[in-house]
Amino acid sequence: MSDVPKKLYIKTYGCQMNVYDSERMAEALGGQGYEQVDSPEGADMIVLNTCHIREKAAEKVYSELGRYKGLKAANPDLKIGVAGCVAQAEGAEIMRRQPMVDLVVGPQSYHRLPEMEAKARSGEKALDTDFPEELKFDHLPKGRKASRGPTAFLTVQEGCDKFCAFCVVPYTRGAEVSRPVSRVLREAEGLVEQGVREITLLGQNVNAYHGQEGGEDWGLARLIRRLAEIDGLDRIRFTTSHPNDMEDDLIAAHGDCEKLMPYLHLPVQSGSDRILKRMNRGHTAQEYLRLIERIRAARPDILMSGDFIVGFPEETEEDFQATMDLVEAVNYGQCFSFKYSARPGTPAAERPLVEQAAADDRLQRLQTLLTTQQRAAQDAMVGREVGVLFEKAGRLPGQMVGKSDHLHAVHVQCDLPVGTLARVRITESGPNSLAGELL
Ligand code: 5AD
Ligand code: SF4
């Protein structure tokens, strides 16, 4: 093997779990002599880490692959891989439709990448979309990259057993699995040694976390409280949660664990009980609202965030109004909303779509309301004192940018280094960020 590092380009689509996975893949291939680069030109290996959650995801992947034809023609040694949820859903079909793909790897098999890469290098096609018994993260090579920013993701749980009628996750990521407590703690401690001050715990259903330690079952709240004991770790967040797994001790942690940040992403998808039932969400709108009351009783200034789907099969104008009413009742600080997209293989994909013009119109009305709430929550921060963890220099000279406790981007004129957690008074609220001054 030559000493010159081979160049690896990874393009990541979709959720934060994919961002985390891409980092792990880069590390796994680092052991094979690869160094990550920012552009596909001149790369020795290109990996697309794909997402299958909405809209024509597979088509986007095929058209992106098409763009690499010239690169492959110029460099026959270039290896091309497809990873992530489209790889899981499409499998060998990807190589049939796009023969220049050398490697297809599903989200549960990344620890097998080094062998797969070697196989691809020898000229064979490599395909792995198994759900192996071993947990991929615990079989990936140790030693994370040397330099990193002050925030990091840490996946603690993967997969989902909820089977919401619209969602591909239970099929692409498989059954719910939690990583052992000791592994999570070791990884968190390693990150803090590298200068990380904020960790976001990730999982498709992160609040269903149930790790084992000392013969006991650890829920997410206990894990968070244990992580909070790590010196040098200042902030803990977690995402994404399901309302039905929001246990009492996790709600309580929002009130009494200082390092747990006052922001909670708790998707409800719809405000109509009829639609919630058809979505197989397992709770009513009233139960969700009651839950939010309890969370706010524990942490009054918590900023709520959520996801909504409009135009789910059979959604009527009345159902949609119930969603708007729920949004009014909750008053979100931030939200993501999507038009329903039929995902092959899910139960809802068999049902007739609502009229698309109506769905588009509902999405627009919902987004208008959500944007108003988001802006109001941001404006309400003006005059308040918040913590800001600086992540990078701002666009203007002498300016730093970081995130507040409530996850707002905040610009501050100062020369404090990246990684500083400062107290800041918010002075202004702009369209997408706040401005403040050091206290
Ligand atoms: N169509 C539209 N939105 C979807 N989501 C998940 N599946 C679909 C789908 N088939 C949304 C949900 C989920 C978020 C990650 O993506 O709102 O919470
Ligand atoms: Fe998908 Fe529902 Fe599981 Fe979330 S809880 S990943 S929406 S099946």
Side-chain angles (χ1 to χ4, degrees), residues 15 52-55 164-169 240-241 265 267-269 279 281 306-310 312 336-344 346 348:
C15 66
H52 206 228
I53 197 99
R54 285 177 294 272
E55 284 315 345
C164 298
F166 51 82
C167 186
V168 284
V169 165
T240 290
S241 297
H265 185 60
V268 63
Q269 315 296 355
M279 286 178 164
R281 290 290 294 180
D307 292 339
F308 287 91
I309 297 177
V310 302
F312 187 76
F336 305 91
S337 51
F338 313 99
K339 186 165 90 163
Y340 169 73
S341 142
R343 307 283 70 211
T346 59

Side-chain angles (χ1 to χ4, degrees), residues 2 14 19 22 52 56 66 69 107 112 123 130 161 208 264 274 285 316 326 332 398:
S2 89
V19 175
S22 290
H52 206 228
K56 306 187 184 84
K69 275 207 177 111
R112 296 178 178 166
D130 290 348
D161 296 339
L264 179 62
R274 213 175 67 88
T316 62
L326 178 137
Y332 287 95

Side-chain angles (χ1 to χ4, degrees), residues 6 33 56 87 97-98 123-124 145 149 152 164 167 191 209 211 214 221 228 242 266 306 362 367 370 399 407 433 435:
K6 288 175 279 183
K56 306 187 184 84
R97 266 190 66 179
Q98 192 46 274
E124 279 179 71
K145 67 178 184 221
C164 298
C167 186
L191 287 168
Y209 178 84
H242 191 288
L266 195 63
R362 287 174 201 163
Q367 289 186 338
L370 292 171
Q399 188 185 54
L407 212 51
S433 67

Side-chain angles (χ1 to χ4, degrees), residues 71-106:
L71 294 178
K72 185 95 172 177
N75 174 14
D77 286 338
L78 167 64
K79 297 296 166 196
I80 296 184
V82 179
C85 293
V86 174
Q88 188 65 43
E90 297 269 298
E93 175 64 18
I94 297 179
M95 288 162 172
R96 264 195 295 278
R97 266 190 66 179
Q98 192 46 274
M100 71 179 192
V101 172
D102 303 286
L103 187 158
V104 172
V105 58

